[in-house]
Amino acid sequence: MRAARRTTLTGLALVTAAAGLAALPPDAEAASPAPTLTTAAPDIDVARVQAHLTELNAIASRNGGNRRSTGQGYRDSVAYVKGRLQAAGYTVTEQACTSGCTRGAGPNLIAEWPYGDASKVYMFGAHLDGVSAGPGINDNGSGSATLLEVALKLAETRPSMAARVRFGWWTDEEQGLNGSDFYVRSLTSAQRSAIKAYYNFDMVASPNGGYFINHINSTAAAPMKAYWDSLSLRPEENTEGAGRSDDYSFEAYGIPTSGYAMGASARKTSTQAAKWGGTAGAAYDRCYHSSCDTTTNINATGLNRSADGVAYTLWQQAVSATALNRAPR
């Protein structure tokens, strides 16, 4: 997630992106209880998500300790995600950011599952770049790896699709939401209208973090909230992240948005600590934008619950109703 500073998009009305970050008990078990919900969304294996994080950390280590958008670490991250998606059967596109991005920034990566009604698109996104100070494993390897594993699970299970699902891994977010802004600007009006909701995942494994949802009471957020409600997590609005991540680029063009986040440099309140565990008065992520944001900076419980909530949301929104109650093949 980019540092706390509002983004201004030229020629667009300012839209407030309310999105709240919170807190997770760091000593909680990694396994989430099964929710009592109607759809047959698959369980996402958190160990597989963590394996992607290990690879992203290794990529940073081989490239000066970071995955900044203008460096080889970012390009190697793109190659890793792209290779896994192509092998799974996705239509994958590298989109060069030709205006508005930092000079030398690598491409956006767009992957579409080529089934379902193309006039109804549900999009899931995360920024793949990090800051120059560290490897960026919570910020935002956690969101990027979560989406990668959910995408691979979709390809593995191959349910009947009612709508199209598209994934985006954004460049140059840390420099001003530039990659996602370029992507949305590059769409035609009809293409924007086809996107029924955009879901953003930025820092979903903060070690002292919590359970917060962007626009928690919106229609788009309903399945995300339903999943975490089923675990009795009592999520809150993501206020720390408002306007600071890639959902803002979509929201500014009138596209409904939501997403999960677990917190950056803001401090956990005593009320949140009483509800979720963790340390009151401490930052949600003490390694935010620093060199200690490595694989040791990951809350496996929060990562697991976020990944399962993403899968539930995808299945709820885009999988055919006739496929929801059958076992995956």
Side-chain angles (χ1 to χ4, degrees):
M1 183 172 71
R2 71 184 297 247
R5 183 160 51 92
R6 292 307 299 266
T7 302
T8 300
L9 300 182
T10 304
L12 296 174
L14 179 64
V15 182
T16 301
L21 297 159
L24 275 174
D27 56 351
E29 292 182 359
S32 301
T36 305
L37 297 169
T38 58
T39 64
D43 177 68
I44 302 300
D45 186 348
V46 71
R48 294 186 181 184
V49 182
Q50 290 173 301
H52 300 315
L53 293 176
T54 297
E55 181 57 32
L56 292 176
N57 196 82
I59 286 170
S61 296
R62 294 193 296 268
N63 290 282
N66 69 76
R67 298 182 303 103
R68 183 181 169 89
S69 64
T70 54
Q72 189 61 41
Y74 177 77
R75 287 175 169 77
D76 287 355
S77 299
V78 169
Y80 172 72
V81 175
K82 181 180 180 180
R84 296 299 303 270
L85 293 167
Q86 285 181 323
Y90 278 86
T91 302
V92 187
T93 304
E94 291 187 28
Q95 181 194 41
C97 184
T98 57
S99 67
C101 284
T102 305
R103 183 178 177 84
N108 290 324
L109 189 68
I110 310 298
E112 187 150 325
W113 187 237
Y115 304 98
D117 184 353
S119 70
K120 292 171 55 180
V121 177
Y122 290 92
M123 193 159 187
F124 296 76
H127 74 89
L128 187 55
D129 69 314
V131 295
S132 59
I137 299 305
N138 185 36
D139 185 15
N140 184 38
S142 63
S144 294
T146 292
L147 290 193
L148 175 57
E149 190 54 38
V150 170
L152 296 177
K153 194 68 174 181
L154 178 63
E156 177 186 326
T157 56
R158 300 181 66 88
S160 299
M161 303 301 295
R164 194 64 58 97
V165 173
R166 186 180 303 152
F167 296 91
W169 287 266
W170 309 119
T171 188
D172 219 34
E173 187 268 2
E174 296 290 4
Q175 310 308 313
L177 319 184
N178 297 326
S180 58
D181 175 48
F182 177 80
Y183 173 79
V184 184
R185 284 191 288 111
S186 73
L187 299 176
T188 65
S189 178
Q191 288 170 332
R192 291 186 200 119
S193 295
I195 301 174
K196 302 310 175 186
Y198 169 79
Y199 294 96
N200 195 65
F201 304 95
D202 193 349
M203 302 183 68
V204 295
S206 303
N208 190 43
Y211 303 93
F212 279 65
I213 298 175
N214 305 352
H215 301 305
I216 192 169
N217 294 317
S218 67
T219 299
M224 310 205 78
K225 185 175 185 296
Y227 186 82
W228 276 0
D229 281 347
S230 77
L231 303 180
S232 301
L233 296 178
R234 293 180 291 161
E236 298 178 9
E237 177 65 40
N238 178 5
T239 55
E240 184 191 14
R244 291 175 57 187
S245 195
D246 295 297
D247 52 312
Y248 183 68
S249 298
F250 289 79
E251 183 178 345
Y253 283 87
I255 297 170
T257 66
S258 188
Y260 287 146
M262 293 177 56
S265 59
R267 297 181 182 275
K268 179 178 283 185
T269 68
S270 57
T271 300
Q272 291 168 348
K275 179 165 63 169
W276 294 313
T279 304
Y284 299 127
D285 182 359
R286 67 178 183 83
C287 291
Y288 174 64
H289 283 189
S290 69
S291 61
C292 60
D293 188 11
T294 67
T295 51
T296 64
N297 192 45
I298 292 296
N299 184 317
T301 299
L303 184 67
N304 190 36
R305 290 169 174 168
S306 295
D308 287 341
V310 175
Y312 175 75
T313 299
L314 188 157
W315 255 250
Q316 187 82 347
Q317 298 289 55
V319 172
S320 172
T322 60
L324 292 178
N325 295 313
R326 66 176 177 81
R329 64 174 183 268

